[in-house]
């Protein structure tokens, strides 16, 4: 039973479902918790990535962390009883990930976690709590980088459960890059003439968008950078809500910011492929910019994906305008980090997961 709930989950599950299906290796049921539900955050991803309609949708919608997590748990409980899966596969670090893992574990159903072991060492991030707890509950832990294995071993997880398989996000990227929608088309559909060169920005971390002063400073910094290199900015609904609540809408009307609604996956890959620079607090975009060799200024004070800094194109710059400005000046001077592709980020991670899962399930049967 594969469980998804939020935008980055959809991208991760697409190559996994395809690999499980291949040659009928492992049968699957797809459960959607309903954490993300808008056409732009949900339906477009199922269409772009060719993911089948989930067999089960819990339709939980939005809520506080406690309410959302609890509601998923309540609704998922009966689903487990009804279907008695041989195991529950969860991806990433969102509330849906932890909620499903907790329910399965309490019912003595095996938990398989894809993208295990990443740690920001900052427990004020809701995702960090989700990651630590999900990993403690998991029977198989699939990791994207070797640092993650070290983190898990330090937390007392048996090495026999840990498998370094590579990165399914990069499987999806490689499978779809040839189908990407050119940036000029996406921009023109939104009423913008495509600039010769542009930066791509996204923001959605509570630490960047939930306080109006921080968000205002970041938008001002985008505006300033945008005067030199126009900033294409697809806006997450959390961020949109905060911009409206904080009365910051006028900042988006600057000619140097090309504000968009959240874009579909094929549009995003096209924007990424065309961008000179990425400015983001997204986990997925840090990885995708590393895979594509595009310099990325990571607008956070740390990352749970250190390989994107050590080997990839990411530079941690936080959310202080002076630091972002300085990093942008460096990028302008030397073109930014080029990096190299991390080990096993080769497009075959989901295939490795499917083989390990098939063996595990056979042994457990
Ligand atoms: C969630 C994940 C985060 C992940 C992000 C990916 C948790 C704790 N957070 O954050 O790790 O990086 O998804 O995008 O699980 N909303 C809509 N339409 C939607 C979905 C959300 O308008 O389809 C709005 C609602 O106002 C909602 C808010 O966005 O309250 C936040 O949604 P939520 O899923 O709680 O958290 P994200 O910020 O999206
Ligand atoms: N993404 C997208 N359209 C957007 C913003 C993001 O297709 O408007 C994709 C992007 O490829 C990114 C992925 O969604 O890697 C992950 O989403 P997000 O940044 O929401 O979550 P995170 O990876 O930070 O958990």
């Amino acid at each position: 039973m594969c469980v998804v709930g939020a935008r980055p989950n959809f991208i991760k599950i697409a190559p996994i479902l395809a690999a499980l299906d291949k040659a009928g290796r492992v049968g699957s049921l797809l459960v959607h918790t309903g954490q993300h539900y808008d056409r732009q955050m949900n339906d477009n991803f199922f269409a772009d990535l060719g993911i089948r309609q989930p067999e089960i949708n819990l339709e939980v919608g939005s809520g506080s962390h406690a309410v959302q997590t609890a509601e998923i748990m309540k609704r998922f409980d009966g689903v487990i009883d009804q279907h008695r899966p041989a195991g529950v596969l969860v991806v990433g670090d969102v509330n849906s990930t932890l909620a499903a893992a907790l329910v399965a574990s309490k019912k003595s159903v095996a938990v398989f976690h894809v993208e295990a072991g990443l740690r920001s060492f900052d427990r004020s991030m809701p995702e960090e709590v989700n990651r630590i707890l999900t990993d403690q509950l998991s029977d198989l832990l699939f990791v994207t980088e070797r640092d993650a294995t070290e983190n898990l071993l330090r937390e007392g997880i048996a090495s026999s459960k840990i498998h370094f398989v590579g990165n399914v996000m990069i499987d999806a990227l490689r499978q779809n890059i040839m189908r990407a929608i050119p940036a000029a088309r996406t921009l023109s559909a939104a009423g913008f003439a495509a600039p010769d060169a542009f930066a791509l920005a996204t923001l959605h971390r509570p630490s960047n968008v939930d306080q109006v002063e921080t968000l205002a400073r970041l938008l001002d910094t985008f505006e300033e950078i945008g005067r030199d290199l126009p900033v294409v900015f697809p806006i997450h609904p959390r961020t949109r809500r905060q911009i409206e609540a904080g009365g910051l809408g006028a900042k988006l009307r600057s000619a140097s910011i090309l504000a968009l609604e959240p874009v579909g996956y094929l549009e995003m890959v096209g924007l990424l492929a065309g961008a000179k620079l990425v400015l983001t607090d997204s986990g997925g975009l840090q990885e995708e910019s590393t895979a594509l060799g595009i310099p990325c200024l990571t607008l956070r004070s740390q990352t749970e994906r250190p390989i994107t800094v050590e080997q990839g194109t990411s530079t941690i710059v936080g959310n202080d305008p002076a630091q972002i400005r300085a990093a942008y000046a460096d990028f302008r001077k030397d073109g930014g980090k080029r990096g190299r592709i991390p080990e096993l980020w080769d497009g075959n991670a989901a295939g490795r997961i499917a083989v390990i899962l098939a063996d595990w399930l056979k042994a457990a049967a």
Side-chain angles (χ1 to χ4, degrees):
M1 182 171 277
C2 298
V3 181
V4 293
R7 176 168 70 186
N9 296 168
F10 310 144
I11 303 168
K12 288 164 199 170
I13 210 67
I16 296 174
L17 288 175
L20 294 181
D21 281 351
K22 205 169 159 193
R25 267 193 202 123
V26 180
S28 63
L29 270 181
L30 181 59
V31 178
H32 193 323
T33 65
Q35 178 172 347
H36 284 178
Y37 43 84
D38 280 346
R39 184 176 56 76
Q40 288 158 326
M41 297 298 286
N42 178 67
D43 308 46
N44 289 351
F45 288 83
F46 281 74
D48 281 1
L49 290 153
I51 308 170
R52 68 177 190 259
Q53 277 313 300
E55 280 77 31
I56 297 149
N57 195 323
L58 307 179
E59 296 180 346
V60 296
S62 304
S64 70
H65 288 281
V67 166
Q68 188 173 61
T69 308
E71 202 54 53
I72 297 168
M73 289 181 67
K74 269 165 68 183
R75 298 184 192 192
F76 191 50
D77 200 47
V79 171
I80 293 266
D81 288 339
Q82 193 186 343
H83 296 278
R84 295 306 306 170
V88 168
L89 183 144
V90 293
V91 295
D93 54 14
V94 302
N95 286 344
S96 299
T97 310
L98 173 61
L102 195 47
V103 173
S105 166
K106 294 262 183 171
K107 290 197 176 279
S108 304
V109 172
V111 176
F112 315 127
H113 186 203
V114 175
E115 203 184 87
L118 298 178
R119 296 289 180 270
S120 64
F121 304 102
D122 173 4
R123 288 204 188 187
S124 70
M125 277 184 87
E127 295 81 4
E128 183 76 350
V129 176
N130 294 342
R131 290 190 276 258
I132 293 168
L133 296 177
T134 302
D135 286 341
Q136 284 297 327
L137 301 171
S138 294
D139 297 274
L140 283 177
L141 299 97
F142 297 106
V143 306
T144 52
E145 55 180 277
R146 290 190 185 277
D147 265 10
T149 303
E150 296 306 313
N151 295 334
L152 293 171
L153 293 173
R154 212 179 314 111
E155 290 172 19
I157 305 227
S159 64
S160 57
K161 294 182 182 175
I162 307 169
H163 298 270
F164 173 40
V165 291
N167 193 330
V168 292
M169 201 75 170
I170 307 309
D171 292 11
L173 181 64
R174 286 180 170 238
Q175 286 163 19
N176 289 288
I177 192 132
M178 300 305 290
R179 303 171 56 227
I181 296 172
R185 201 184 328 151
T186 301
L187 292 170
S188 128
F192 295 112
D196 292 338
F198 62 88
L200 174 66
T202 76
L203 280 182
H204 73 281
R205 295 282 156 215
S207 56
N208 282 336
V209 307
D210 282 4
Q211 278 172 338
V212 68
E213 302 78 17
T214 309
L215 180 56
R217 277 199 300 269
L218 282 166
L219 295 180
D220 287 340
T221 311
F222 288 177
E223 201 275 329
E224 197 182 316
I225 289 174
R227 276 183 250 145
D228 185 49
L229 183 64
V231 173
V232 175
F233 182 34
I235 303 178
H236 188 286
R238 170 189 286 274
T239 310
R240 172 73 70 185
R241 208 182 53 190
Q242 297 301 112
I243 289 172
E244 280 163 14
L248 304 176
K251 293 187 188 294
L252 297 180
R253 289 194 279 279
S254 153
S256 65
I257 298 181
L258 283 60
L260 306 178
E261 292 303 306
V263 293
Y265 184 66
L266 295 177
E267 292 169 311
M268 177 48 94
V269 175
L271 289 174
L272 260 170
K276 298 282 178 233
L277 175 72
V278 171
L279 298 147
T280 194
D281 57 14
S282 158
L285 278 164
Q286 289 172 57
E287 297 183 334
E288 290 157 346
S289 40
T290 277
L292 294 174
I294 303 161
C296 172
L297 304 186
T298 296
L299 306 173
R300 293 178 37 191
S301 49
Q302 66 337 76
T303 179
E304 62 287 333
R305 294 164 158 87
I307 206 161
T308 61
V309 177
E310 288 154 14
Q311 298 184 16
T313 57
S314 171
T315 306
I316 301 286
V317 297
N319 62 15
D320 170 44
Q323 245 182 298
I324 302 170
R325 233 178 265 131
Y328 181 73
D330 288 345
F331 158 76
R332 262 315 198 195
K333 235 182 290 154
D334 61 15
K337 283 170 86 168
R338 296 208 197 333
R340 63 174 194 272
I341 310 279
E343 188 182 0
L344 295 190
W345 287 24
D346 58 2
N348 298 316
R352 294 187 191 99
I353 291 170
V355 169
I356 295 164
L357 262 184
D359 288 350
W360 191 95
L361 291 166
K362 205 156 80 189

